[in-house]
Amino acid sequence: MPARVLGYDSLVIAVGSTTNDFGTEGAAQHCLFLDTRKQAERFHQQLLNHYLRAHAGQTDAVEQISVAIVGAGATGVELAAELHNAAHELAAYGLDRIKPENMHITLIEAGPRVLPALPERIGGPVHKTLEKLGVTVLTNSAVSEVTADALITSSGQVIPASLKVWAAGIRAPGFLKDIDGLETNRINQLQVLQTLQTTRDENIFAFGDCAACPQPGTDRNVPPRAQAAHQQASLLAKSLKLRIEGKELPTYTYTDYGSLISLSRFSAVGNLMGNLTGSVMLEGWLARMFYVSLYRMHQMALYGFFRTAMLMLGSKIGRGTEPRLKLH
């Protein structure tokens, strides 16, 4: 696209974030990332190729199907559970020369526990569930180097893996730090006030993962979570109207409504926050029901009621005819 100059009265920047490999040696060359659909499809295809080669007897199955996931946040945890489920589904599709237990999944977290951004009472049950599924969970293990066939931690531990997924940390797109006059932090996020205006230009707003918004009463910024971006978007819709009318802008205060983590078909866990109920812990089928309901609410926000209803109907009809796992 050729360079263009566009004038504006108010500019809103909402360019999201990408995975942060923290400059780890070899990570960019040897790890797969899941920032885009194209990257996810690449991982999907590589996993299937590994399975097919192992099934054909070209390589040793136990060594070949080994997946290491760096980062035990929501993405890493849910991916580990889904991979365990995929191992069983692939066996059901005729790739039965490879036993499900021959897929070795290792989840690596630099911090002391899984799901470090969520309450510890959620992380504990999730850790136990993953271990019951056969996932090897390593905490307090920072990856210092990635090679073609292994990850090496800062303690010198070598973790062999044929597929390596990096799902640890975020950073805003690099071009933001090069925009003249705007203040950014070490992960390229634009520094904003509680009004979501950038600190050095009141005509430029930023929200979501690309913005570093302070939380009053703490030394932390608003966490880079979907619910925070949703809340900020709702506030900005009102703020821009008020700005046109010349009125004072409201300030943003983050409200945590809880979190839900899906462990594939095996379980779900989370907590819901409310003014009347406080924090309510959810596990099992009830958490799963809330997880699916939240997903449908996101669809309704994007597509509206009618299209979401059609998607739900199509999903229900197709459940009995479509394959449970995509093999192409």
Side-chain angles (χ1 to χ4, degrees):
M1 181 180 293
R4 293 180 294 172
V5 177
L6 301 174
Y8 63 84
D9 295 312
S10 297
L11 173 65
V12 178
I13 299 177
V15 293
S17 64
T18 58
T19 303
N20 190 354
D21 64 12
F22 305 101
T24 304
E25 183 180 351
Q29 294 79 16
H30 302 298
C31 285
L32 295 163
F33 298 86
L34 301 175
D35 294 322
T36 65
R37 177 172 177 170
K38 186 175 181 179
Q39 290 175 332
E41 289 175 344
R42 181 186 173 205
F43 169 71
H44 173 256
Q45 196 58 55
Q46 287 197 21
L47 176 65
L48 289 179
N49 289 342
H50 279 65
Y51 247 90
L52 291 171
R53 284 198 299 268
H55 181 73
Q58 297 177 17
T59 57
D60 180 79
V62 175
E63 292 184 2
Q64 185 69 9
I65 312 299
S66 55
V67 184
I69 304 167
V70 182
T75 300
V77 164
E78 292 190 346
L79 177 61
E82 289 292 351
L83 285 173
H84 179 78
N85 180 51
H88 287 78
E89 296 289 355
L90 285 166
Y93 275 89
L95 298 177
D96 49 6
R97 289 184 59 187
I98 309 167
K99 304 300 181 184
E101 57 268 23
N102 285 347
M103 179 187 280
H104 293 262
I105 305 168
T106 305
L107 185 62
I108 307 162
E109 170 58 40
R113 62 184 180 88
V114 302
L115 300 174
L118 302 183
E120 188 170 356
R121 64 176 183 163
I122 294 179
V126 168
H127 190 142
K128 291 179 181 178
T129 300
L130 289 173
E131 289 187 330
K132 287 180 181 178
L133 295 178
V135 177
T136 300
V137 181
L138 302 177
T139 55
N140 294 309
S141 301
V143 174
S144 59
E145 183 182 353
V146 183
T147 67
D149 53 9
L151 297 101
I152 303 170
T153 68
S154 55
S155 64
Q157 181 180 3
V158 178
I159 304 166
S162 52
L163 284 174
K164 297 163 285 293
V165 181
W166 195 282
I170 64 111
R171 63 183 172 192
F175 73 86
L176 290 178
K177 67 181 179 182
D178 298 321
I179 296 180
D180 289 340
L182 297 183
E183 182 183 7
T184 58
N185 61 13
R186 60 183 177 80
I187 57 172
N188 307 331
Q189 290 176 312
L190 294 169
Q191 296 283 2
V192 299
L193 307 172
Q194 278 189 266
T195 56
L196 302 181
Q197 293 167 295
T198 54
T199 54
R200 295 177 181 171
D201 192 331
E202 64 178 12
N203 297 317
I204 300 178
F205 297 77
F207 76 98
D209 287 6
C210 71
C213 180
Q215 289 194 78
T218 74
D219 58 354
R220 297 181 178 182
N221 290 325
V222 172
R225 299 171 65 182
Q227 61 175 308
H230 185 91
Q231 294 169 25
Q232 291 172 339
S234 298
L235 181 83
L236 266 180
K238 299 174 183 176
S239 296
L240 293 173
K241 181 180 178 181
L242 292 172
R243 194 164 195 259
I244 293 172
E245 296 171 351
K247 297 179 180 178
E248 184 179 353
L249 301 184
T251 57
Y252 171 69
T253 301
Y254 173 63
T255 302
D256 186 358
Y257 290 107
S259 302
L260 292 167
I261 303 296
S262 171
L263 299 176
S264 189
R265 62 181 175 85
F266 306 103
S267 183
V269 65
N271 71 316
L272 298 180
M273 309 285 285
N275 293 330
L276 297 177
T277 60
S279 178
V280 178
M281 181 78 172
L282 299 174
E283 290 186 76
W285 69 268
L286 184 60
R288 181 69 180 170
M289 182 184 70
F290 273 95
Y291 187 92
V292 173
S293 299
L294 184 62
Y295 172 68
R296 295 304 184 187
M297 287 173 62
H298 283 308
Q299 284 187 315
M300 286 186 63
L302 289 171
Y303 305 128
F305 175 80
F306 180 76
R307 186 175 176 185
T308 300
M310 292 298 100
L311 288 170
M312 292 174 64
L313 179 62
S315 177
K316 188 173 183 62
I317 294 173
R319 194 174 300 157
T321 58
E322 295 178 351
R324 290 178 293 179
L325 201 64
K326 186 177 179 182
L327 297 179
H328 58 81

